Amino acid sequence: MHRLMSIEWARWLKWPVLLGVLLASLSLVVAIYTAGQPLWAMLVLALVSLGCYVYLSRPAQALRYLFPGLAAMLVFVAFPLAYTAQIGFTNYSSNNLLSQERVTGYLLEQASADEARTRVFTLHPQGSSFRIALAPPADAGAPAGGLLVSEPLTLSGAPRTAPVPVQTLAPDAPALAPALPLKEVLRQRDALMQLTLKLPDQSVLRYAGVREFAPLNPLWRANVDGSLTLLQNDTVYRPNHETGYFETNAGERMQPGFKVAVGFANYARMIGDPDFRGPFLSIFIWTVLFSALTVLFSLALGLTLAVLLNWEGLRFRTAYRTLLFLPYAVPGFISILVFKGLFNQNFGEINAILDALFGIKPAWFADPLLAKTMLLLVNTWLGYPYIMVLCAGLIKAIPADLYEASAIAGATPLTNFLRITAPLIIKPLTPLLISAFAFNFNNFVLIALLTNGRPDFLNTKVPAGTTDILVSYTYRIAFQDSGQNFGLAAAISTVIFFMVALLSLANLRLARVNSKP
């Protein structure tokens, strides 16, 4: 009976819940569309419609449990990838953030104050309201009593859209309250900026400064063909859809620019621009070397320690294993910052020891070769415990009778390693090594905390460091370069994605091959 009641309640709640979800989804679609993104609004609407079909249609019942995972993959994986790839085909940057329509609107809103007709204002409280008093223009020769005063205004709440009339203060009118000090006027600044004041001669004044209202003369005029004219000198600026700027016939650009599609220009720049190609290829080669050498050194050290710790005659093996595992237990960013202090040229312990023994104090952070060596040393220290634990587990899985038979045959430990240990662990270890390579290919934390890509290449158009790897180089282009070239960074990110994807496919293929008997 209780189960039947639960089923009945579920049936009754099904439609209200569905209606609530649909209303929330439709409001989200409308919000996205009104924000100027019709394509993304259509995609969200299609996803919601597909969800309704899956959960309301009997033929699609088998997909009900798969749909949430597929939808999450589309939203959190496929969408960022597609959006990043799309940005890579544009000139999107800090100088080209807006659309052409928004840039046009921004320029048309620019205005300059008419200094000859500027009026100093004061703000006077009147109960919970305020009154604005305008002094005569400085060069108008008006008498001191020719003061213009607004009606009582409420500056809080919704901004006032209609112009506020101001009239000459009558001689018999009650005196105004003392003017507010500048500190109090500044608190009302946002509301004052929204006001327009209409004078008796029907001219309109707008907020022009901390203490001033003035007529604002537009700086630009829109033309029928989409161009803009700068009214100060009647110069015409036309939109250039190749560069993303309003430009004159002489090539003079007006900031800000607008976002346009540039095709494969960002990808072609990686190969065709000599000033960009040199650092990019150097960073790409160093990224591959850094990842490969890190895996190689970590494998050599971790495997050696795993073999030694597997020696039955070694005393205190548990203590050694615990101590050697500690670098993996400590958070990586803490270890990196500790090493950054240890490698300090003037105050670090490493240089103090080298100076005492050999009389040298290497410039670890200034010399490119030493900086790369330091990165490999630190990354090997951080990575070998993982390899050591993996190898120790794989060695434990090797049958002991193989080593017993080898001992009877008089084989040496080196022969045991080359003939038994290495061949039996290399296959299951290979996919894990490829994963470690892919991880170090994008090891942004180490580079950012230890060297930040320094020392930099000289005479480059885009800032690039000799110790940068592709992911840190992309970060600098996107967020630290003065131009913040998001389009170029997105193009490089897309290239990195395909490289890591190829490594993942190789990993899966190796795992499939190794799983076969």
Side-chain angles (χ1 to χ4, degrees), residues 110-407:
Q110 303 302 303
S112 61
D114 187 347
E115 296 183 2
R117 300 169 62 192
T118 298
R119 290 175 177 259
V120 176
F121 79 93
T122 53
L123 192 62
H124 303 263
Q126 183 171 323
S128 60
S129 302
F130 300 91
R131 300 186 75 179
I132 300 175
L134 298 177
D139 60 347
L147 196 67
L148 298 178
V149 181
S150 72
E151 62 185 26
L153 300 172
T154 301
L155 297 181
S156 59
R160 185 163 178 163
T161 57
V164 177
V166 292
Q167 302 293 335
T168 304
L169 184 65
D172 57 345
L176 297 174
L180 293 177
L182 180 60
K183 180 179 179 181
E184 298 296 329
V185 174
L186 290 176
R187 289 183 179 177
Q188 308 296 333
R189 182 172 180 269
D190 291 340
L192 292 172
M193 292 178 65
Q194 305 297 324
L195 293 179
T196 56
L197 305 181
K198 181 182 288 188
L199 302 184
D201 62 358
Q202 303 303 310
S203 60
V204 175
L205 307 183
R206 294 182 181 273
Y207 185 83
V210 176
R211 285 291 195 183
E212 297 175 339
F213 272 84
L216 298 182
N217 300 320
L219 295 178
W220 296 88
R221 182 183 69 241
N223 301 318
V224 178
D225 60 354
S227 62
L228 300 176
T229 300
L230 184 61
L231 297 178
Q232 293 177 346
N233 50 21
D234 289 333
T235 304
V236 178
Y237 288 78
R238 292 181 172 81
N240 187 331
H241 294 283
E242 294 182 359
T243 62
Y245 290 94
F246 281 94
E247 299 179 355
T248 64
N249 293 333
E252 181 183 353
R253 293 179 176 179
M254 178 58 60
Q255 297 283 357
F258 50 89
K259 186 171 68 172
V260 294
V262 295
F264 290 91
N266 290 320
Y267 296 93
R269 185 179 178 185
M270 300 180 197
I271 302 173
D273 188 347
D275 294 329
F276 182 83
R277 183 177 63 228
F280 178 79
L281 291 179
S282 298
I283 290 172
F284 173 75
I285 294 171
W286 161 240
T287 303
V288 176
L289 287 175
F290 168 74
S291 305
L293 291 177
T294 295
V295 173
L296 179 63
F297 294 156
S298 299
L299 175 63
L301 183 57
L303 182 56
T304 301
L305 293 175
V307 172
L308 291 175
L309 293 174
N310 194 54
W311 179 29
E312 297 291 343
L314 181 65
R315 299 179 62 186
F316 309 114
R317 285 192 304 163
T318 303
Y320 295 148
R321 187 180 293 112
T322 302
L323 292 174
L324 292 171
F325 185 74
L326 284 179
Y328 198 66
V330 178
F333 74 93
I334 294 179
S335 298
I336 294 170
L337 294 177
V338 169
F339 272 105
K340 188 173 184 177
L342 292 176
F343 278 103
N344 185 278
Q345 182 177 0
N346 298 315
F347 308 105
E349 293 297 328
I350 293 177
N351 271 12
I353 296 173
L354 293 176
D355 187 32
L357 294 177
F358 307 105
I360 59 174
K361 299 177 72 173
W364 296 101
F365 294 93
D367 184 86
L369 181 60
L370 290 178
K372 293 178 179 179
T373 303
M374 176 181 61
L375 283 171
L376 290 173
L377 290 174
V378 175
N379 210 26
T380 300
W381 168 266
L382 296 174
Y384 86 83
Y386 172 71
I387 303 296
M388 182 186 69
V389 172
L390 290 177
C391 293
L394 294 173
I395 291 173
K396 286 291 184 182
I398 298 176
D401 54 359
L402 294 177
Y403 293 103
E404 293 174 0
S406 177

Side-chain angles (χ1 to χ4, degrees), residues 50-66:
L50 182 60
C52 293
Y53 171 75
V54 168
Y55 286 101
L56 297 178
S57 175
R58 289 186 178 275
Q61 284 184 348
L63 298 175
R64 293 182 179 180
Y65 302 101
L66 297 176

